[in-house]
Amino acid sequence: MSILSSMRYCLGDPRSYTPMWFALAFMPFGLFFDFMDGKVARWRKKSSLMGQELDSLADLVSFGVAPASAAFALGLRTPLDTLLLSFFVLCGLTRLARFNVTVSSLPKDATGKSKYFEGTPIPTSLCIVAAMAWCVSRGYVEGSDGVIGGVWGGEESWWGGVHPIVAVFVGWGCAMVSRTIHIPKP
């Protein structure tokens, strides 16, 4: 629903933020369902490779594609912006794939759960979503007061310029695939 709401915002009046608020509000539901599917699997003491892969796909859509779609809708639309947003999504994909492959080799605690995350977990992208909600509340979107930081290079350049704020997505993507960042699991 979040991605479709972002699309609806792109098609409608840019001064009507209602579809964008829906897009941003739907994303935290992904976190709730991500927690619940794991709890249900542990409660039932059942898991499957299919369930693990579906969980990763849901995480990629909820915490990778949806935030990138919202950023595009809010104004990060130059060719370089879209390339860098795609990089963010691919970093999320790489992080989830690496987790699925290496989860059995990571150190475990007494309950059998991994002791830490290697790289930042993809749901942490909700921090970017919160920042985008702040931008919407202040009108820092394309067509209003403009995206924070403006655009560097201008639309007349061959590469269409770039919004420097897209660097937040690039940095977040790099943190997700980092092998040196170890975040203890709760």
Side-chain angles (χ1 to χ4, degrees):
M1 291 298 295
S2 179
I3 296 168
L4 296 174
S5 293
S6 293
M7 289 181 194
R8 188 170 293 116
Y9 175 75
C10 287
L11 295 173
D13 179 6
R15 292 165 296 186
S16 174
Y17 298 142
T18 303
M20 203 65 240
W21 283 118
F22 277 114
L24 297 170
F26 281 126
M27 289 186 223
F29 285 108
L31 186 64
F32 170 76
F33 290 116
D34 189 35
F35 285 145
M36 291 309 293
D37 73 351
K39 292 256 185 225
V40 169
R42 283 187 289 282
W43 174 68
R44 292 186 64 213
K45 296 183 179 143
K46 290 189 176 190
S47 65
S48 69
L49 187 56
M50 175 80 153
Q52 179 181 334
E53 297 303 324
L54 285 173
D55 181 61
S56 291
L57 180 60
D59 287 352
L60 179 63
V61 171
S62 297
F63 310 117
V65 178
S69 298
F72 178 87
L74 291 175
L76 302 183
R77 298 180 187 161
T78 70
L80 192 52
D81 287 340
T82 55
L83 179 69
L84 295 173
L85 289 172
S86 298
F87 171 80
F88 168 77
V89 173
L90 292 174
C91 285
L93 175 66
T94 302
R95 191 253 180 269
L96 291 165
R98 187 176 70 210
F99 176 78
N100 288 348
V101 170
T102 62
V103 69
S104 61
S105 63
L106 292 175
K108 307 276 191 282
D109 64 12
T111 65
K113 287 178 66 176
S114 301
K115 289 184 178 182
Y116 58 82
F117 292 106
E118 192 174 76
T120 57
I122 194 168
T124 61
S125 68
L126 288 177
C127 295
I128 298 175
V129 172
M132 286 190 287
W134 180 82
C135 289
V136 171
S137 74
R138 299 283 191 257
Y140 297 137
V141 299
E142 196 67 34
S144 185
D145 288 341
V147 177
I148 292 177
V151 64
W152 290 357
E155 293 180 16
E156 64 278 351
S157 65
W158 66 269
W159 47 282
V162 64
H163 291 88
I165 198 74
V166 78
V168 172
F169 284 89
V170 172
W172 216 277
C174 290
M176 283 191 288
V177 297
S178 171
R179 288 185 173 265
T180 58
I181 297 174
H182 291 170
I183 304 202
K185 279 191 166 186

